Amino acid sequence: TQLLEQSPQFLSIQEGENLTVYCNSSSVFSSLQWYRQEPGEGPVLLVTVVTGGEVKKLKRLTFQFGDARKDSSLHITAAQPGDTGLYLCAGAESGGSYIPTFGRGTSLIVHP
Amino acid sequence: DSGVTQTPKHLITATGQRVTLRCSPRSGDLSVYWYQQSLDQGLQFLIQYYNGEERAKGNILERFSAQQFPDLHSELNLSSLELGDSALYFCASSPGDSNSPLHFGNGTRLTVT
């Protein structure tokens, strides 16, 4: 069973700071998604990365997929209180049914 | 709004009881996934259906079962409930193509007392 390790587990920072969260696995993924989940709601997709080495930007968020497609990072520049939430990465191995496996997430709190 | 609807939003029941959770997928999506989310385990995949057929099974207990109906809505049945079954249960849907991201509902919070 593939395992996705996310770090750090918790992050509490001040508004305006930069941060990076990591998602690592020993498995190779055909694709990897990042989601954000707020209390009382389901995870919401932020981005999908498919190609090794791919970098995608979404406003202040930068996502990178590792060259070997085993790991990914999410960098947030100048964090804002609205970025507060649980950040989840999810990957699926190629072949067979498409079943995303989720990491346990990074819980981010951004203080004003 | 993801377009995925889950009911009920909250459910409180006693040990030994049986409950049914309902999910309506996004319009046009053929695939439905069920996940369980708890504080200590994170999001755990339970089962997937595609166009009415079971496609994949994860860590789903024998006391749990699911089905997808011809109109594509899905139900997750949990029976002989135990305290440890208390969790958030999420349904997600996708078109069914490989690498298509999942769109999640807002979950059903189940509390077993």
Side-chain angles (χ1 to χ4, degrees):
Chain A
T1 303
Q2 56 180 293
L3 192 63
L4 276 164
E5 299 281 351
Q6 287 192 245
S7 60
Q9 193 175 354
F10 299 101
L11 202 48
S12 179
I13 61 172
Q14 293 297 127
E15 183 175 2
E17 292 184 31
N18 301 332
L19 66 118
T20 302
V21 299
Y22 301 92
C23 175
N24 295 291
S25 176
S26 56
S27 300
V28 176
F29 296 114
S30 60
S31 69
L32 190 140
Q33 281 96 30
W34 283 92
Y35 293 80
R36 183 170 74 210
Q37 183 179 14
E38 299 188 28
E41 299 181 6
V44 175
L45 178 73
L46 296 174
V47 78
T48 297
V49 286
V50 178
T51 307
E54 183 176 2
V55 177
K56 279 192 174 178
K57 291 195 174 185
L58 186 67
K59 296 183 182 177
R60 294 176 293 100
L61 279 60
T62 302
F63 304 86
Q64 185 161 9
F65 201 15
D67 290 341
R69 305 206 321 272
K70 292 183 178 182
D71 54 85
S72 181
S73 64
L74 158 59
H75 182 79
I76 301 179
T77 303
Q80 298 177 2
D83 296 326
T84 293
L86 180 67
Y87 288 82
L88 296 158
C89 65
E93 295 179 341
S94 54
S97 295
Y98 177 67
I99 307 296
T101 297
F102 284 79
R104 292 194 182 186
T106 293
S107 181
L108 171 66
I109 298 175
V110 183
H111 301 279
Chain B
D1 182 9
S2 68
V4 178
T5 304
Q6 286 189 249
T7 57
K9 191 163 185 172
H10 301 279
L11 204 45
I12 302 174
T13 190
T15 54
Q17 295 298 306
R18 172 191 167 96
V19 296
T20 298
L21 281 52
R22 196 177 190 279
C23 169
S24 293
R26 267 190 341 162
S27 177
D29 283 356
L30 298 177
S31 194
V32 168
Y33 298 74
W34 287 97
Y35 283 83
Q36 179 192 59
Q37 187 177 41
S38 59
L39 283 173
D40 57 339
Q41 293 290 330
L43 264 170
Q44 297 289 309
F45 169 67
L46 296 178
I47 198 164
Q48 180 206 7
Y49 281 82
Y50 177 81
N51 205 19
E53 300 288 326
E54 181 185 304
R55 180 167 269 194
K57 247 180 178 177
N59 301 321
I60 188 166
L61 300 170
E62 285 193 13
R63 300 182 286 108
F64 296 0
S65 65
Q67 53 185 327
Q68 186 179 28
F69 295 87
D71 67 352
L72 301 177
H73 91 270
S74 178
E75 292 181 356
L76 179 66
N77 301 295
L78 315 176
S79 62
S80 302
L81 284 167
E82 301 175 359
L83 296 177
D85 298 327
S86 296
L88 273 165
Y89 291 84
F90 285 102
C91 167
S93 74
S94 81
D97 304 329
S98 290
N99 295 336
S100 293
L102 304 187
H103 296 267
F104 283 82
N106 283 333
T108 292
R109 179 175 292 279
L110 173 67
T111 303
V112 183
T113 61

mmCIF file of all heavy atoms in Angstrom, chain B residues 68-87:
data_model
loop_
_atom_site.group_PDB
_atom_site.id
_atom_site.type_symbol
_atom_site.label_atom_id
_atom_site.label_comp_id
_atom_site.label_asym_id
_atom_site.label_seq_id
_atom_site.Cartn_x
_atom_site.Cartn_y
_atom_site.Cartn_z
ATOM 1 N N GLN B 68 -24.451 1.883 -6.037
ATOM 2 C CA GLN B 68 -24.715 3.025 -6.899
ATOM 3 C C GLN B 68 -25.916 2.673 -7.766
ATOM 4 O O GLN B 68 -25.942 1.628 -8.413
ATOM 5 C CB GLN B 68 -23.504 3.369 -7.777
ATOM 6 C CG GLN B 68 -23.704 4.651 -8.582
ATOM 7 C CD GLN B 68 -22.498 5.018 -9.437
ATOM 8 O OE1 GLN B 68 -21.737 4.147 -9.858
ATOM 9 N NE2 GLN B 68 -22.319 6.289 -9.707
ATOM 10 N N PHE B 69 -26.874 3.557 -7.783
ATOM 11 C CA PHE B 69 -28.138 3.295 -8.453
ATOM 12 C C PHE B 69 -28.106 3.766 -9.907
ATOM 13 O O PHE B 69 -27.193 4.482 -10.315
ATOM 14 C CB PHE B 69 -29.261 3.996 -7.675
ATOM 15 C CG PHE B 69 -29.454 3.430 -6.300
ATOM 16 C CD1 PHE B 69 -28.708 3.903 -5.225
ATOM 17 C CD2 PHE B 69 -30.352 2.402 -6.071
ATOM 18 C CE1 PHE B 69 -28.859 3.369 -3.952
ATOM 19 C CE2 PHE B 69 -30.511 1.864 -4.806
ATOM 20 C CZ PHE B 69 -29.766 2.351 -3.745
ATOM 21 N N PRO B 70 -29.108 3.346 -10.716
ATOM 22 C CA PRO B 70 -29.123 3.738 -12.135
ATOM 23 C C PRO B 70 -29.074 5.248 -12.351
ATOM 24 O O PRO B 70 -28.549 5.702 -13.373
ATOM 25 C CB PRO B 70 -30.436 3.140 -12.652
ATOM 26 C CG PRO B 70 -30.649 1.935 -11.794
ATOM 27 C CD PRO B 70 -30.156 2.335 -10.431
ATOM 28 N N ASP B 71 -29.601 6.031 -11.416
ATOM 29 C CA ASP B 71 -29.511 7.483 -11.594
ATOM 30 C C ASP B 71 -28.168 8.025 -11.109
ATOM 31 O O ASP B 71 -27.969 9.234 -11.056
ATOM 32 C CB ASP B 71 -30.671 8.192 -10.883
ATOM 33 C CG ASP B 71 -30.601 8.077 -9.369
ATOM 34 O OD1 ASP B 71 -29.739 7.316 -8.856
ATOM 35 O OD2 ASP B 71 -31.398 8.738 -8.684
ATOM 36 N N LEU B 72 -27.280 7.154 -10.732
ATOM 37 C CA LEU B 72 -25.885 7.418 -10.339
ATOM 38 C C LEU B 72 -25.720 7.894 -8.894
ATOM 39 O O LEU B 72 -24.567 8.043 -8.450
ATOM 40 C CB LEU B 72 -25.181 8.387 -11.304
ATOM 41 C CG LEU B 72 -25.130 7.905 -12.740
ATOM 42 C CD1 LEU B 72 -24.469 8.957 -13.638
ATOM 43 C CD2 LEU B 72 -24.375 6.586 -12.854
ATOM 44 N N HIS B 73 -26.819 8.105 -8.165
ATOM 45 C CA HIS B 73 -26.608 8.444 -6.773
ATOM 46 C C HIS B 73 -26.134 7.192 -6.037
ATOM 47 O O HIS B 73 -26.318 6.066 -6.521
ATOM 48 C CB HIS B 73 -27.861 9.068 -6.140
ATOM 49 C CG HIS B 73 -28.806 8.095 -5.491
ATOM 50 N ND1 HIS B 73 -29.844 7.489 -6.176
ATOM 51 C CD2 HIS B 73 -28.868 7.630 -4.218
ATOM 52 C CE1 HIS B 73 -30.506 6.704 -5.355
ATOM 53 N NE2 HIS B 73 -29.942 6.762 -4.161
ATOM 54 N N SER B 74 -25.508 7.413 -4.906
ATOM 55 C CA SER B 74 -24.925 6.282 -4.180
ATOM 56 C C SER B 74 -25.335 6.333 -2.709
ATOM 57 O O SER B 74 -25.637 7.405 -2.173
ATOM 58 C CB SER B 74 -23.397 6.330 -4.286
ATOM 59 O OG SER B 74 -22.791 5.272 -3.560
ATOM 60 N N GLU B 75 -25.374 5.173 -2.103
ATOM 61 C CA GLU B 75 -25.650 5.075 -0.678
ATOM 62 C C GLU B 75 -24.594 4.216 0.000
ATOM 63 O O GLU B 75 -24.141 3.220 -0.575
ATOM 64 C CB GLU B 75 -27.047 4.476 -0.436
ATOM 65 C CG GLU B 75 -28.163 5.384 -0.877
ATOM 66 C CD GLU B 75 -29.552 4.804 -0.629
ATOM 67 O OE1 GLU B 75 -29.641 3.651 -0.181
ATOM 68 O OE2 GLU B 75 -30.520 5.521 -0.891
ATOM 69 N N LEU B 76 -24.213 4.644 1.185
ATOM 70 C CA LEU B 76 -23.281 3.881 2.013
ATOM 71 C C LEU B 76 -24.037 3.435 3.250
ATOM 72 O O LEU B 76 -24.595 4.265 3.977
ATOM 73 C CB LEU B 76 -22.081 4.759 2.399
ATOM 74 C CG LEU B 76 -21.013 4.125 3.301
ATOM 75 C CD1 LEU B 76 -20.288 2.992 2.575
ATOM 76 C CD2 LEU B 76 -20.004 5.181 3.776
ATOM 77 N N ASN B 77 -24.104 2.137 3.446
ATOM 78 C CA ASN B 77 -24.817 1.571 4.572
ATOM 79 C C ASN B 77 -23.829 1.098 5.634
ATOM 80 O O ASN B 77 -22.904 0.338 5.334
ATOM 81 C CB ASN B 77 -25.667 0.384 4.114
ATOM 82 C CG ASN B 77 -26.679 0.782 3.062
ATOM 83 O OD1 ASN B 77 -27.581 1.557 3.332
ATOM 84 N ND2 ASN B 77 -26.521 0.269 1.853
ATOM 85 N N LEU B 78 -24.036 1.551 6.850
ATOM 86 C CA LEU B 78 -23.166 1.179 7.962
ATOM 87 C C LEU B 78 -24.024 0.469 8.997
ATOM 88 O O LEU B 78 -25.025 1.027 9.468
ATOM 89 C CB LEU B 78 -22.523 2.421 8.593
ATOM 90 C CG LEU B 78 -21.948 3.476 7.622
ATOM 91 C CD1 LEU B 78 -21.440 4.684 8.399
ATOM 92 C CD2 LEU B 78 -20.838 2.884 6.778
ATOM 93 N N SER B 79 -23.656 -0.760 9.346
ATOM 94 C CA SER B 79 -24.485 -1.514 10.270
ATOM 95 C C SER B 79 -23.689 -1.954 11.489
ATOM 96 O O SER B 79 -22.457 -1.849 11.515
ATOM 97 C CB SER B 79 -25.079 -2.741 9.569
ATOM 98 O OG SER B 79 -24.039 -3.598 9.133
ATOM 99 N N SER B 80 -24.419 -2.416 12.502
ATOM 100 C CA SER B 80 -23.809 -2.861 13.769
ATOM 101 C C SER B 80 -22.775 -1.843 14.232
ATOM 102 O O SER B 80 -21.623 -2.179 14.522
ATOM 103 C CB SER B 80 -23.157 -4.241 13.595
ATOM 104 O OG SER B 80 -24.098 -5.180 13.170
ATOM 105 N N LEU B 81 -23.221 -0.614 14.289
ATOM 106 C CA LEU B 81 -22.288 0.490 14.523
ATOM 107 C C LEU B 81 -21.571 0.378 15.861
ATOM 108 O O LEU B 81 -22.146 -0.050 16.876
ATOM 109 C CB LEU B 81 -23.033 1.822 14.435
ATOM 110 C CG LEU B 81 -23.373 2.256 13.009
ATOM 111 C CD1 LEU B 81 -24.373 3.395 13.025
ATOM 112 C CD2 LEU B 81 -22.120 2.646 12.249
ATOM 113 N N GLU B 82 -20.307 0.776 15.820
ATOM 114 C CA GLU B 82 -19.458 0.786 17.008
ATOM 115 C C GLU B 82 -18.982 2.215 17.257
ATOM 116 O O GLU B 82 -19.026 3.054 16.350
ATOM 117 C CB GLU B 82 -18.259 -0.142 16.796
ATOM 118 C CG GLU B 82 -18.647 -1.577 16.500
ATOM 119 C CD GLU B 82 -17.445 -2.448 16.180
ATOM 120 O OE1 GLU B 82 -16.307 -1.939 16.173
ATOM 121 O OE2 GLU B 82 -17.660 -3.656 15.940
ATOM 122 N N LEU B 83 -18.524 2.470 18.488
ATOM 123 C CA LEU B 83 -18.055 3.813 18.820
ATOM 124 C C LEU B 83 -16.968 4.277 17.851
ATOM 125 O O LEU B 83 -16.919 5.438 17.452
ATOM 126 C CB LEU B 83 -17.524 3.845 20.255
ATOM 127 C CG LEU B 83 -18.531 3.577 21.363
ATOM 128 C CD1 LEU B 83 -17.849 3.561 22.725
ATOM 129 C CD2 LEU B 83 -19.642 4.620 21.344
ATOM 130 N N GLY B 84 -16.120 3.353 17.455
ATOM 131 C CA GLY B 84 -15.009 3.673 16.574
ATOM 132 C C GLY B 84 -15.410 4.034 15.155
ATOM 133 O O GLY B 84 -14.581 4.480 14.367
ATOM 134 N N ASP B 85 -16.674 3.854 14.825
ATOM 135 C CA ASP B 85 -17.156 4.240 13.489
ATOM 136 C C ASP B 85 -17.462 5.729 13.411
ATOM 137 O O ASP B 85 -17.732 6.254 12.320
ATOM 138 C CB ASP B 85 -18.422 3.451 13.124
ATOM 139 C CG ASP B 85 -18.172 1.954 13.047
ATOM 140 O OD1 ASP B 85 -17.046 1.563 12.649
ATOM 141 O OD2 ASP B 85 -19.095 1.186 13.382
ATOM 142 N N SER B 86 -17.433 6.404 14.547
ATOM 143 C CA SER B 86 -17.657 7.847 14.552
ATOM 144 C C SER B 86 -16.578 8.524 13.712
ATOM 145 O O SER B 86 -15.378 8.333 13.960
ATOM 146 C CB SER B 86 -17.611 8.402 15.977
ATOM 147 O OG SER B 86 -18.661 7.868 16.754
ATOM 148 N N ALA B 87 -17.013 9.284 12.729
ATOM 149 C CA ALA B 87 -16.063 9.902 11.788
ATOM 150 C C ALA B 87 -16.843 10.776 10.814
ATOM 151 O O ALA B 87 -18.069 10.822 10.839
ATOM 152 C CB ALA B 87 -15.296 8.833 11.006
#
